[in-house]
Amino acid sequence: MHSLSSALPINLHTSPGPDPVHLTPQHQLHRHQLLRHLPRPVHVSRIQRRISRHRGRTHRRRGQRHEGPTEAPYWWGLTVGGMLGTGAHGSSLWGEGSAVHDYVAEMTVVSPGAAEEGFVKVRTLKEGDGELNAAKVSLGVLGVIYKVTLKLQPMFKRSVTYVIRNDTNFGDETTTFGLQHEFADFTWYPSQRQVIYRIDDRVPSNTSGNGLYDYFPFRSTPSLLLAGVRIAEEAQEYLKHADGKCAGGKLTTATLRATSFGLTNNDYIFTGYPVVGYHNRLQSSGTCLDSPNDGLITACPWDSRIRGEFFHQTTFSLDLSVTKNFVRDVQTLVALDPESLCVLDLYNGILMRYVTGSSAYLGKQGDALDFDITYYRSEDPKAPRMFEDVLEEIEQMAVFKYGALPHWGKNRNVAFAGAIARYENGAEFLKVKEEYDPLGLFSSEWTDQVLGLRDGLTVLGEGCALEGLCVCSEDSHCAPEEGYFCRSGKVYKEARVCRYEEVSGV
């Protein structure tokens, strides 16, 4: 506590937090020694069915054989503070939903205080406290989330089956599938016109099975293989080789299907569907965090110390009332150029997860479907991408036509434009922020921009649209010298996108 109280009298901005594992660069928290002397409590009460966790602990297979939290994101490298800071979630419309913050029973927040308080104020927020709705999803701007108490329930088993279907009726099914299966999700390959449906439900605890989910892309991977994939992808971009993208994408998706996406029936092998196992073994994965100390012969695919994956993420949620129309618009766009979204298949398509409306001020405003789109990013911010006009049109269509809410932890600047106005209690959140941290010591230029408190979210300049810093309004915002010009969208005409056009000499 001493390090916090020492920082406050001199208005030293600070951002305590763990190593960045999951968040986009704008949201990464720098490691400080703030609160370094405080204990890191983990307390489980089986009588009250509660677990108390320190902000810096990851959720790796949280819970024991007897009880555990119901929901968690699919990547287990997130800390409790990181999950609450960004609104991380799994996939469910049942019960209290899939967002971790909707299972918070109590939270201790440490924020700046008055001189007579030693410049530190400790607040313990419980269910029923209005300010808990602000703290449950906070972007880290209210102070340090020191301890969180989450609701537990008796450990249960699940049965998982993946089914591949054509996407002809997919739009209609987005509104109903989540009501039919408790932990349902989709993986959509628009260019292949296919969807993988995850049929995932609770089963009686005496059902035979000890299944495990060790998602293949989250495992340690040989660095040479990762470098080879990256070099091939860069070559395809340079040559504008769409057929190569599609072939590589189909190989990736076929490999994942052949390996059952990392599901096994008994820790070692996959013998067939359904895969039955305990909830804490099927919800999340991330074994590459335990990569052997082998001099980076193997690593997580996105480890910045090797030549591996480097990508953008566009992640947003749409109210279930509009998902059918959005899917139809994307299908119409892809039909105009079927190869245009092969770029997504290399990153296993579009992951779609259900999430319920939340009482959190910066949580979902109603039952929604979350779209997680991952795609190639050049290490040169001024380099355009193949078919980037299609991805930009999808992004703008979601945000501006259908009023999508951004995922707070992974998006480009464009997705945050005007976002705070789409939250019914956005103004209430800002009031709590002003009360907890009036000097803005836990804020940054970026969080102020995202929350609409400061200009600068849109950065106009040459090539600004290539990295999502702006929506293009003139050719110079794209890369005209390489044949990319600012044009209207093909389906969503109000979109302004950077489209490649053959030009003599280019």
Side-chain angles (χ1 to χ4, degrees):
M1 196 77 77
H2 171 71
S3 55
L4 177 58
S5 60
S6 298
L8 298 180
I10 57 174
N11 292 349
L12 176 65
H13 284 253
T14 184
S15 302
D19 290 325
V21 206
H22 171 81
L23 307 180
T24 55
Q26 297 98 324
H27 281 85
Q28 288 177 359
L29 302 177
H30 300 290
R31 178 180 293 277
H32 286 267
Q33 295 304 308
L34 192 62
L35 303 181
R36 65 187 182 276
H37 300 300
L38 291 179
R40 294 174 172 253
V42 176
H43 175 70
V44 177
S45 171
R46 292 182 180 171
I47 296 176
Q48 296 181 330
R49 289 183 180 167
R50 298 287 190 268
I51 182 171
S52 297
R53 288 252 178 183
H54 185 274
R55 79 197 191 287
R57 290 186 177 271
T58 65
H59 79 89
R60 178 185 309 216
R61 289 197 180 133
R62 292 174 302 149
Q64 304 170 8
R65 188 65 170 260
H66 302 288
E67 63 275 304
T70 302
E71 284 296 341
Y74 292 176
W75 164 245
W76 76 23
L78 283 174
T79 65
V80 174
M83 289 188 289
L84 298 181
T86 60
H89 56 87
S91 182
S92 184
L93 291 176
W94 294 34
E96 295 186 67
S98 63
V100 177
H101 55 261
D102 286 326
Y103 293 85
V104 172
E106 184 177 304
M107 181 187 300
T108 300
V109 180
V110 182
S111 53
E116 58 269 21
E117 297 172 310
F119 297 103
V120 172
K121 189 173 184 65
V122 180
R123 294 176 174 90
T124 298
L125 309 175
K126 300 181 179 181
E127 288 183 285
D129 294 340
E131 293 172 2
L132 182 61
N133 292 330
K136 287 194 295 186
V137 181
S138 68
L139 279 67
V141 300
L142 302 186
V144 176
I145 298 174
Y146 167 54
K147 186 173 71 171
V148 177
T149 300
L150 298 170
K151 302 172 187 177
L152 302 178
Q153 64 172 294
M155 187 58 69
F156 57 91
K157 281 189 169 183
R158 290 162 54 175
S159 172
V160 182
T161 299
Y162 285 115
V163 175
I164 303 173
R165 298 176 184 169
N166 183 277
D167 74 354
T168 301
N169 300 316
F170 180 45
D172 292 318
E173 292 170 341
T174 60
T175 63
T176 59
F177 189 63
L179 300 175
Q180 298 166 3
H181 303 284
E182 184 172 3
F183 302 102
D185 73 20
F186 306 104
T187 303
W188 184 22
Y189 307 115
S191 283
Q192 298 183 37
R193 298 299 306 273
Q194 290 185 338
V195 183
I196 295 179
Y197 290 68
R198 179 169 174 148
I199 300 173
D200 190 345
D201 293 288
R202 297 188 194 220
V203 293
S205 58
N206 60 357
T207 304
S208 177
N210 192 33
L212 178 68
Y213 179 53
D214 186 7
Y215 185 48
F216 216 80
F218 290 170
R219 298 182 186 181
S220 294
T221 307
S223 298
L224 286 177
L225 175 61
L226 294 170
V229 170
R230 179 66 184 186
I231 290 170
E233 194 173 13
E234 289 174 344
Q236 291 162 359
E237 288 284 332
Y238 179 76
L239 298 171
K240 295 181 173 55
H241 187 23
D243 289 343
K245 288 274 190 181
C246 291
K250 288 179 179 178
L251 176 61
T252 298
T253 56
T255 300
L256 288 171
R257 295 172 194 171
T259 57
S260 62
F261 300 91
L263 283 170
T264 56
N265 298 82
N266 58 7
D267 279 350
Y268 303 108
I269 60 173
F270 174 73
T271 59
Y273 293 118
V275 174
V276 176
Y278 282 101
H279 170 66
N280 65 332
R281 290 168 55 86
L282 293 176
Q283 177 64 22
S284 307
S285 61
T287 52
C288 72
L289 288 177
D290 300 319
S291 296
N293 187 14
D294 57 9
L296 293 179
I297 294 175
T298 60
C300 289
W302 53 86
D303 193 318
S304 60
R305 296 172 296 175
I306 63 170
R307 188 174 186 181
E309 294 180 350
F310 188 60
F311 48 76
H312 280 298
Q313 284 190 303
T314 295
T315 304
F316 52 83
S317 60
L318 291 173
D319 189 276
L320 287 179
S321 64
V322 302
T323 55
K324 174 183 176 180
N325 292 336
F326 175 75
V327 167
R328 181 192 60 204
D329 281 352
V330 173
Q331 289 173 327
T332 301
L333 184 59
V334 174
L336 297 175
D337 192 343
E339 295 181 326
S340 61
L341 288 187
C342 288
V343 295
L344 303 184
D345 296 346
L346 288 166
Y347 298 90
N348 197 31
I350 302 175
L351 174 64
M352 299 162 62
R353 296 172 292 163
Y354 289 101
V355 60
T356 55
S358 173
S359 61
Y361 292 160
L362 298 186
K364 305 306 178 187
Q365 304 297 282
D367 292 352
L369 190 59
D370 184 90
F371 293 73
D372 202 327
I373 306 173
T374 305
Y375 48 99
Y376 172 87
R377 181 183 187 183
S378 173
E379 294 185 9
D380 177 0
K382 294 297 181 67
R385 293 171 281 106
M386 287 178 63
F387 301 114
E388 82 165 68
D389 62 309
V390 177
L391 287 164
E392 288 174 354
E393 185 168 348
I394 291 172
E395 180 179 52
Q396 293 176 43
M397 184 190 301
V399 173
F400 303 124
K401 180 178 180 179
Y402 290 106
L405 296 179
H407 187 299
W408 291 112
K410 40 186 178 180
N411 262 307
R412 309 190 313 162
N413 289 35
V414 168
F416 295 110
I420 193 65
R422 296 195 286 276
Y423 291 86
E424 182 179 349
N425 289 305
E428 292 300 315
F429 176 83
L430 295 178
K431 288 180 183 178
V432 176
K433 176 185 179 300
E434 178 65 21
E435 178 184 348
Y436 277 44
D437 185 20
L439 296 178
L441 300 181
F442 285 89
S443 296
S444 67
E445 180 180 5
W446 169 250
T447 58
D448 281 351
Q449 290 170 352
V450 166
L451 293 172
L453 299 174
R454 183 184 301 195
D455 293 333
L457 192 62
T458 296
V459 181
L460 296 176
E462 291 187 4
C464 61
L466 304 178
E467 282 280 293
L469 298 176
C470 73
V471 172
C472 73
S473 57
E474 57 186 59
D475 290 341
S476 66
H477 295 159
C478 300
E481 68 283 358
E482 296 188 46
Y484 287 79
F485 301 93
C486 188
R487 298 291 184 259
S488 297
K490 294 179 178 179
V491 174
Y492 176 47
K493 302 298 185 181
E494 289 80 0
R496 298 289 292 174
V497 300
C498 295
R499 180 173 300 128
Y500 177 72
E501 297 178 353
E502 292 279 0
V503 178
S504 178
V506 176

